[in-house]
């Protein structure tokens, strides 16, 4: 009994010592956490965002050990804002998930809305429109403009019916700015042709034109009226006969911006209103200068390209405008998500090629095509970076490269969104700083990764290809051919180690494309007598005579022919005598710069098939899986065909033959699949 009392006394004494120590430790932890939160807030005010994030991360790690307090949730919201400002997309998405899981219901509406809007914007900047729309749908009491943004995201995600439901609701609003925006959205849906039972586009356009007058007379802020008129004009200009109305609405918006004293919007609207019908070179020149002075590079690029389209100008001035625009793209880079700007860039590169070919400036024509290829290669890197891999043990470097590349692409899209929305110009300097910092860090990481894989640098940081470099790289029995098929002029270029040959044909580009389309249809039929049918095919002969001309006689000197094209056509079927594919190795590339990437790569991976209608997907895959052998298919393939043909080609490839030779060897195997393979399959890569 005495022993028990002694033990109890010792335990009591121990508790007397431990409890105060525990209390002091807990209080100290609270004090440290509060201090970290204060430091984070101070660094945020000073715009020292990395330091602020560091303090928030450390404070939250301690503060959330036993659950999420209101203080921690508030800190997560502030942390999310910093991640938005600095373009830390993965971190922002993780923060959003934490808020949603641990405090979505208790968070005040204002905080929840602010975080959701930032998160939704970030998903949209990466082209993840479905996820962006889902975040927007989580808003508790969305206003009309937030509903419009959700509908626009749904539309971009291909969810036309869901978008239409919101647009229809907005079109009944008493607010004319909302009403015209809703009707414009319905017009967008109607023009897709994917929804039955809608009012005709002409009727919808008439309603939009009628309400536009009420919008200009609204007792609303200039920003709201300008926004609504720009939305309406963008929808109307999709219809050729409504372009005058679209132009009028933009001029009305321009007048409002001038009266309100919004210089940036004035310049943007001068450019947009001039684009539709008038297209005065002087207007383009004036806004080019303004955009350059105000750090609006993408607007400047677009205006330069439109100046290049001014047919009344002499060729030299148009060529210079296109060159300056492409050079600016080389510096800034148009992300793949900015589809309108990508289209504008591609058209500019093609029109520059036409001008140079017409002026017989052939070396410059190669340089212009190399610039276009370089820009495409950079977009391929950004679009497919998720597939980048380093050997095991280097995942940290690998994952940071992936995140930084994605962050840069999203921030570039943000700069474009600022222009398209006409708001948020104050964010541009923050975006620029974040891009510069991320690019600097990315250069460091790529150098580190190159120590593990020497090919990383040239794959992730493509260089502008010169004619001399390409000619030095090509073997004596190789020739690279590319076609520039434009509206009224088709130009063909052959490059080898010893020559540069160019021929032109004044034929409508639509006719060339139609002939190729017919040829593809015949390939897809996979007739038992396909080779004989194609040998006598009139479209094949016409295309060969038109595109190759005298160049066709030179091809007998080359064993391997590499075709470079944005669209994968069955070029192996061309030939003024036998089809090229019968006695040459023929392969395809999306851009000429890729020819330097894969020549030394030994085929050691899988055999993969891509539909020939999606050569860009094949290019992205090859960039990050260079050891795999890729084949483009011009006919639909069933799953059983994939499996058996892969086995057939795998067996033929065991000798280490090229892709073309693999297809030829497949002919030796029994069965119609093997004998026809070389006609409707083509290797992607440099062989």
């Amino acid at each position: 009994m005495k022993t028990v009392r002694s033990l109890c006394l010792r335990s009591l004494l121990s508790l007397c010592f431990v409890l105060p120590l525990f209390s002091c430790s807990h209080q100290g932890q609270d004090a440290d956490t509060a201090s970290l939160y204060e430091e984070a807030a101070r660094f945020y005010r000073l715009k020292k965002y990395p330091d602020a994030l560091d303090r928030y991360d450390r404070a939250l790690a301690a503060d959330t050990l036993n659950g999420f307090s209101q203080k921690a949730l508030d800190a997560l919201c502030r942390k999310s804002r910093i991640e938005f400002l600095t373009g830390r997309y993965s971190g922002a998405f993780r923060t959003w998930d934490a808020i949603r899981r641990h405090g979505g219901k208790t968070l005040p509406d204002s905080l929840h809305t602010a975080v959701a809007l930032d998160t939704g914007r970030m998903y949209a900047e990466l082209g993840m429109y479905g996820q962006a729309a889902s975040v927007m749908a989580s808003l508790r009491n969305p206003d009309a403009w937030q509903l419009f943004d959700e509908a626009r995201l749904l539309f971009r995600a291909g969810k036309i019916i869901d978008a239409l439901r919101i647009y229809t609701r907005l079109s009944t609003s008493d607010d004319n700015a909302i009403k015209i925006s809703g009707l414009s959205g319905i017009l967008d849906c109607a023009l897709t042709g994917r929804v039955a039972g809608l009012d005709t586009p002409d009727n919808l356009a008439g309603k939009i034109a009628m309400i536009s007058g009420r919008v200009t007379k609204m007792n609303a802020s200039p920003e709201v009226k300008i926004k609504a008129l720009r939305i309406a004009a963008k929808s109307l200009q999709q219809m050729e006969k409504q372009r005058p109305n679209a132009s009028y609405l933009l001029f009305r918006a321009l007048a409002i911006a001038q009266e309100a004293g919004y210089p940036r919007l004035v310049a943007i609207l001068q450019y947009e209103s001039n684009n539709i019908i008038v297209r005065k070179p002087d207007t383009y020149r004036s806004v080019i200068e303004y955009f350059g002075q105000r750090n609006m590079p993408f607007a400047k690029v677009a205006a330069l390209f439109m100046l290049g389209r001014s047919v009344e100008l002499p060729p030299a001035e148009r060529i210079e405008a296109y060159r300056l625009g492409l050079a600016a793209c080389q510096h800034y880079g148009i992300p793949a998500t900015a589809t309108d700007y990508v289209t504008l860039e591609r058209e500019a590169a093609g029109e520059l090629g036409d001008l140079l070919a017409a002026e017989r400036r052939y070396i410059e024509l190669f340089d212009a095509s190399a610039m276009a290829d370089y820009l495409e290669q950079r977009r391929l890197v950004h679009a497919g970076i998720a597939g980048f891999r380093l050997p095991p043990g280097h995942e940290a470097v690998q994952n940071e490269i992936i995140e930084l590349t994605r962050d840069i692409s999203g921030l570039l899209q943000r700069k474009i969104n600022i222009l398209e929305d006409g708001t948020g110009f104050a964010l541009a300097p923050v975006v620029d700083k974040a891009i510069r910092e991320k690019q600097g860090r990315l250069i460091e990481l790529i150098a580190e990764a190159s120590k593990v894989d020497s090919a990383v640098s040239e794959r992730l940081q493509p260089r502008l290809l010169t004619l001399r470099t390409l000619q030095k790289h090509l073997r004596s029995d190789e020739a690279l051919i590319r076609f520039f098929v434009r509206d009224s002029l088709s130009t063909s270029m052959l490059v080898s180690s010893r020559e540069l040959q160019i021929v032109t044909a004044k034929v409508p580009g639509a006719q060339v494309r139609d002939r190729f389309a017919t040829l593809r249809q015949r390939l897809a039929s996979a007739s038992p007598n396909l080779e004989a049918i194609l040998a006598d095919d009139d479209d094949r002969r016409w295309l060969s005579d038109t595109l190759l001309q005298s160049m066709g006689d030179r091809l007998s000197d080359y064993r391997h022919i590499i075709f470079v094209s944005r669209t994968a056509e069955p070029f192996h079927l061309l030939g003024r005598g036998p089809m090229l594919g019968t006695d040459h190795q023929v392969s395809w590339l999306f851009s000429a710069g890729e020819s330097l990437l894969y020549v030394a790569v030994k085929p050691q991976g899988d055999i993969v098939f891509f539909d020939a209608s999606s050569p860009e997907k094949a290019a992205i895959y090859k960039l990050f899986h260079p050891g795999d052998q890729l084949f483009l298919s011009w006919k639909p393939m069933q799953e059983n065909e994939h499996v058996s043909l892969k086995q057939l080609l795998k067996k033929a490839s065991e000798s280490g033959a090229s892709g073309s030779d693999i297809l030829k060897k497949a002919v030796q195997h029994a069965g119609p699949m093997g004998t026809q393979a070389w006609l409707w399959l083509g290797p992607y890569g440099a062989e």
Side-chain angles (χ1 to χ4, degrees), residues 122 239 292 304 420 439:
M122 296 182 83
M239 304 169 64
L304 280 166
E420 294 185 335
Q439 287 174 332

Side-chain angles (χ1 to χ4, degrees), residues 180-197:
I180 198 172
S181 300
L183 285 168
S184 300
I186 296 174
L187 176 58
D188 292 341
C189 295
L191 290 173
T192 66
R194 293 166 55 185
V195 185

Side-chain angles (χ1 to χ4, degrees), residues 32-137:
D32 289 344
T33 302
S35 175
L36 286 169
Y37 281 143
E38 289 174 6
E39 283 188 43
R42 181 169 60 84
F43 282 128
Y44 175 75
R45 290 193 297 271
L46 294 172
K47 297 184 179 180
K48 295 183 177 181
Y49 298 128
D51 292 326
L53 282 176
D54 173 69
R55 301 311 187 273
Y56 276 128
D57 284 337
R58 286 161 57 188
L60 286 165
D63 198 18
T64 56
L65 289 173
N66 298 310
F68 279 75
S69 65
Q70 189 60 46
K71 183 187 294 185
L73 288 170
D74 291 345
L76 278 174
C77 293
R78 290 192 290 272
K79 178 174 181 284
S80 174
R81 181 60 180 175
I82 296 173
E83 289 165 337
F84 167 76
L85 290 172
T86 55
R88 297 170 184 255
Y89 289 80
S90 295
F93 299 152
R94 288 192 295 268
T95 300
W96 168 252
D97 285 340
I99 291 172
R100 186 172 50 83
R101 284 186 285 109
H102 298 288
K105 295 180 180 178
T106 60
L107 203 64
D109 286 357
S110 58
L111 279 179
H112 181 274
T113 297
V115 178
L117 291 177
D118 284 349
T119 307
R121 284 183 65 179
M122 296 182 83
Y123 274 122
E125 287 162 359
L126 295 178
M128 303 166 73
Y129 303 119
Q131 291 92 324
S134 296
V135 174
M136 293 296 293

